Amino acid sequence: MKYSLIPLLIFVIPLLASLVCMALKKRPRWSQEIALVTCLATAALSLALVPEVLRHGSAGIDLAWIKSFGFNFSLLVDALGSFTIVTITVLMAIDIIYARQYMTPEEAGSSFYGWTLMFMAAMVGAVAATQLIQFYFLWELMLIPSTALIVYWGSGKRPQATGFKYFVITHIGAALILIAILWIITVTGESNIYALAGALAHLPASTLTVLAVLFTIGFAVKMAIFPAHVWLPDAHSEAPLPVSVMLSAIMMNMGIYGLIRFLFTLFPAGVANSLGLALMIFALISQWYGGLQALNHTEMKRVAAYSTISQMGYVLFGIASLSMLGLKGSIFHMLNHGTAKALLFMSIGSVIHSTGATHLDKVGGLAKKMPWTALCCSVAALALAGAPPLGAFQSEWIIFAGGFSSPYTVLAIIAVCASVLTAFYVLRLVMRVFFGHERNECGDINEVHEAPPAMLASMFALSLLSLAVGIYPDFFHRWIEVALQTFGLF
Amino acid sequence: MQSPELFWAMRILLPLFLGAVVTYVIGKIISRIKGDRAGGVVAAVIALVVTVAAYILCFTYPGAASAGAESGIAWLGSLKPDALSLLMAKIMFPLVILVAIYSLGYMKDDSGTDKYYALMLIMAGGMMGVVGAGDIISLYVFFEILSISSYCLVSFRKESWEPIEAGFKYVIINALGSTVAIFGLSLLYIYSGSVSMAEIAAHISGLPDLPVLAALALITGGFGVKAAMVPLHSWLPDAHSAAPSGISALLSGIVIQVGFFALLRLILGVFPLQMQMVGTILIILAAVTTTYGNFIAIAQKDIKRMLAYSSVAQMGYIILGFGVGFYFHSADGFTGGLFHIETHAFMKALAFLSVGCIIEKTGTRRIADLKGVGRVMPATAVAFTIAALGLAGIPAFSGFMSKLMIYKCGFQAGTALGVVLSSIAILNSIISLGYYMPAIHTLFSPAGEAAAKVKGTVSPAILLPIVIMVLITLVLGWHPDLGLGPVNAAVLEILNIIGG
């Protein structure tokens, strides 16, 4: 481990900034600027950490925390962690830029930015956490800000009920994680995630399987894998748009990160193997269920939300294939799905912002009025459908290749077929909204205008990111390979 | 050099009981001359001065180092304060002080508040007597002082019928508990010929099993009533919901814990040989108490009754910590139990105080009627939210840290039973979300009738204790070491006694 302050800074700066924003109750405009600067600084710092991590393997810092429990507060970022953190912070920075024009500072209020920054701090902290209890603490710390964002700024009929459902169901998942964590600490006496692999190897296989199942279910709830997906459609579609982006494109990565980190670096290889087939089946169900539901709904945000369930199915499929390729694809898909899903949500957001329509059958032919949004939405749709040369193509084919290298070729074929379904529902959305006869049932069609500049800028940034990753994936491949080397499984 | 006994008598008990008299007399005189309200304020100020002074004196506790100093006063043998007593004092005094400040604002329109503050001091004195008691007689007598003052306080607002009825139920069931307990204590006296706990403990190993077990059962049952262990809890929801909110906070936050403490003191002082069995009994009672309390709380429509049942459930956690501690001989169990007493005291008091403020403004206790109150009184509602999330054991609040220790001690035992117990505890925390979250949800729903009734701002005397308790809950949630100092000392004391 290389001593580095950056992991601490990227956790503490947003946390402090969130408190400052909360305190500046009367000055939402200031909070907005503070949030922007903080997010950009955090993104820059996390990017600055990348070369160091690639050179030294990991970087971090160790501080004393709760002496009486014997817990430290140590933050450590390795290649997997830095990939996740960079995804989180970069997408968050772009999302904050988008939020500036989607909501006026007065609409949002200071606390919107306060909660957002706290949410980001908790996510970054959880990824960088090295102690099990510290991980759980920060993992749960994500819950309060995200619930507050859904409840206070939610648009549905009953945002409280949605927030309640979200809180309780994901908390149940977290409780399973807590049980597993406490069990591990007491049985092995080791609480450092990075030192656990050796300690766990001595446990009986039955205990390990139970632990692995607890972790898997816990993280699958956060990933909204069928049948633990019930909280997602409401939460993601009723949250205000910038928050939908945070939940769908950014927070989902936490579930993926947790599953990969805990299932693969902690447990001996045999344990994951015993779960492979079951996980693969659930992955397929999620993929197909999410896709069919997305096709079934006409509310645009709900389509995107169900698409997230389906996409998480892809990711889990890659993980469940238990192959080097599948895992690589899943990790890579964190960034690519995040980018594409954020872009899809943002373009839906611009449509809602300018027409007031929330259902895709209420509008049509908007491409002439909002050409750039139409372009960005198409990029997002093509990316999700796995079309080259966009980023998601790079990760999806690796996931499928991983699937075919597993013993279950039939299941891999079914998974590939689901990508046709994906193409179908995303392109349906683009066709209905942007092409065909020009109309707007929710307002005057002549008043429909292109999205304001900051929103467009963040959409362009995401489109370019997706394109750049698709055309030049080499760097990311190397990055993820470094991450996978630490697993020592394959 | 001062002995701990003399210290406890002169610097803790004497100021409280003497203070009660002074508070009442001066308060009465002032209220005769200047009217009820002025009398109440003066009484409150005197009570505050006394409690703050006693609290500060707490920190001059001489400690066991000078325990050898003979005082030569015979009656001092009836006291035997130790680190455990000191821990309870350090929890109780801040709570009483904050509640007294709160009552300044909350009770300002009540009549006879001079009596209220005097009773509160007597109650505090009773509690300190129980925790510092060294023989079974003083334990029992101080407990009765505590009980009688709390009966009066529960029924303090005697204009309406509900507090009277609740107080009556409280008196009858608790008197029954006291009777059962004194049966047990008498058995001990008959067989050992002594009232001092140390001497009884010395005799008890030579006694036949049956009377010892009978005494243990009677004492557990008797003090079980006071600690509100299911199925002996039936008085609690009525009493805690009918009392004025400040008193509910004290009852739920510390009085039932003192009830358990009396039992703990007797177990430690008299029955150290039956540790394993006591552990089993406590574990079973705890699991039943927590689960029952949580499920019944879900069904409550009245917010204070909901909190009262939540106290039943939380008592279960505390008892679970001790049960596991005794059964598995684990220091972590005791730490968890004691730390949960500490964190729960402030969280539950915070919940009751903020709810009291909401009830005062809206005039209703039905959860369904409180729609939208959070939007007109945001600070209070946020305080309630913090308390509720803390009680549910969500990280970032103090309740998580203490519950974590309790969860951990079960796993640490390393047996199937321990794992099951911890899992029950964790699942119970989720069940408890089933009533905290809807309550929070209602508070922040779009405005309803009750919200429209809210007028004026909350007085600073009410807000100040709420803010302080919010800070305590948050600080202990991030940095529990700050509150663990006295707890660790108390755990060492327990381990000394049971030889761990």
Side-chain angles (χ1 to χ4, degrees), chain B residues 290-306:
Chain B
T290 311
T291 315
Y292 178 86
N294 274 328
F295 274 108
I296 302 299
I298 291 180
Q300 297 308 312
K301 296 193 170 60
D302 174 332
I303 194 160
K304 279 182 86 175
R305 278 185 87 86
M306 181 194 96

Side-chain angles (χ1 to χ4, degrees), chain A residues 231-308:
Chain A
W231 59 271
L232 184 139
D234 287 342
H236 288 203
S237 62
E238 287 173 18
L241 203 112
V243 178
S244 305
V245 174
M246 286 173 217
L247 295 174
S248 242
I250 302 175
M251 193 186 72
M252 285 295 151
N253 295 335
M254 295 302 298
I256 306 172
Y257 167 81
L259 191 59
I260 294 175
R261 167 73 73 205
F262 279 81
L263 205 55
F264 288 94
T265 65
L266 260 57
F267 293 99
V271 179
N273 290 344
S274 62
L275 295 175
L277 181 60
L279 285 185
M280 219 176 223
I281 290 171
F282 279 111
L284 282 181
I285 297 176
S286 299
Q287 223 176 1
W288 280 89
Y289 173 83
L292 289 172
Q293 285 287 347
L295 207 52
N296 189 21
H297 282 269
T298 56
E299 190 187 338
M300 288 182 283
K301 280 168 84 179
R302 217 166 264 272
V303 172
Y306 276 110
S307 146
T308 301

Side-chain angles (χ1 to χ4, degrees), chain A residues 3 45-46 128 155 160 178 224 292 313 323 331 380 383 410 417 421-422:
Chain A
Y3 176 82
L45 279 172
S46 58
S155 58
Q160 285 84 13
L178 178 62
L292 289 172
S323 60
I331 297 174
V410 184
C417 294
L421 185 65
T422 311

Side-chain angles (χ1 to χ4, degrees), chain A residues 400-456:
Chain A
F400 292 137
F404 279 104
S405 66
S406 80
Y408 311 109
T409 322
V410 184
L411 297 182
I413 293 173
I414 301 178
V416 174
C417 294
S419 69
V420 180
L421 185 65
T422 311
F424 192 24
Y425 70 75
V426 284
L427 292 177
R428 164 174 165 263
L429 179 95
V430 174
M431 288 299 168
R432 292 267 200 101
V433 173
F434 293 104
F435 299 99
H437 175 60
E438 208 172 79
R439 70 202 170 87
N440 178 14
E441 289 176 19
C442 299
D444 186 358
I445 183 71
N446 294 318
E447 281 178 9
V448 174
H449 52 85
E450 183 54 276
M455 282 161 69
L456 267 188

Side-chain angles (χ1 to χ4, degrees), chain A residues 65 67-69 140 160 164, chain B residues 405 441 444 478 481 484:
Chain A
W65 184 30
K67 288 197 198 72
S68 14
F69 288 30
E140 283 287 79
Q160 285 84 13
F164 172 52
Chain B
M405 283 195 189
H441 167 187
F444 289 100
W478 285 85
D481 277 343
L484 274 169

Side-chain angles (χ1 to χ4, degrees), chain B residues 45-271:
Chain B
V45 170
I46 298 172
L48 272 172
V49 169
V50 168
T51 41
V52 169
Y55 181 47
I56 294 170
L57 283 177
C58 261
F59 291 93
T60 65
Y61 177 71
S66 58
E70 273 306 318
S71 56
I73 308 170
W75 55 263
L76 276 180
S78 58
L79 292 177
K80 198 175 175 307
D82 54 13
L84 270 170
S85 330
L86 195 65
L87 169 68
M88 294 303 276
K90 283 183 177 166
I91 300 170
M92 190 207 72
F93 278 113
L95 209 57
V96 171
I97 293 168
L98 291 175
V99 167
I101 298 174
Y102 178 84
S103 301
L104 257 177
Y106 186 74
M107 306 288 289
K108 64 178 186 296
D109 298 328
D110 286 73
S111 58
T113 37
D114 43 356
K115 292 190 270 300
Y116 175 87
Y117 293 103
L119 281 167
M120 207 148 103
L121 286 183
I122 294 178
M123 187 157 120
M127 281 192 266
M128 286 303 96
V130 173
V131 298
D135 66 26
I136 53 180
I137 295 298
S138 57
L139 182 82
Y140 183 78
V141 169
F142 278 118
F143 211 104
E144 285 304 287
I145 293 176
L146 163 62
S147 303
I148 291 167
S149 52
S150 35
Y151 304 147
C152 303
L153 285 168
V154 164
S155 311
F156 191 77
R157 287 184 163 163
K158 52 194 179 301
E159 301 81 27
S160 57
W161 175 243
E162 194 202 349
I164 308 274
E165 188 189 326
F168 200 64
K169 193 168 172 185
Y170 186 21
V171 172
I172 294 193
I173 298 179
N174 270 267
L176 205 64
S178 301
T179 318
V180 173
I182 201 153
F183 263 128
L185 296 176
S186 328
L187 266 179
L188 290 178
Y189 177 66
I190 292 169
Y191 277 88
S192 65
S194 167
V195 290
S196 148
M197 286 192 221
E199 282 176 37
I200 298 176
H203 278 101
I204 211 161
S205 53
L207 293 182
D209 266 353
L210 188 65
V212 175
L213 292 186
L216 180 59
L218 288 169
I219 288 169
T220 311
F223 287 106
V225 172
K226 322 255 178 192
M229 293 182 195
V230 172
L232 308 169
H233 67 285
S234 58
W235 58 273
L236 184 142
D238 292 301
H240 288 208
S241 61
S245 287
I247 297 307
S248 310
L250 283 181
L251 290 178
S252 269
I254 190 84
V255 172
I256 46 176
Q257 282 76 359
V258 168
F260 178 69
F261 190 92
L263 178 59
L264 179 71
R265 178 63 92 198
L266 284 167
I267 293 170
L268 287 174
V270 180
F271 303 105

Side-chain angles (χ1 to χ4, degrees), chain B residues 358 361-362 373 376-377 449-456:
Chain B
I358 289 171
K361 289 279 177 201
T362 59
V373 172
V376 283
M377 350 180 23
E449 272 173 46
K453 280 187 216 154
V454 176
K455 280 191 195 74

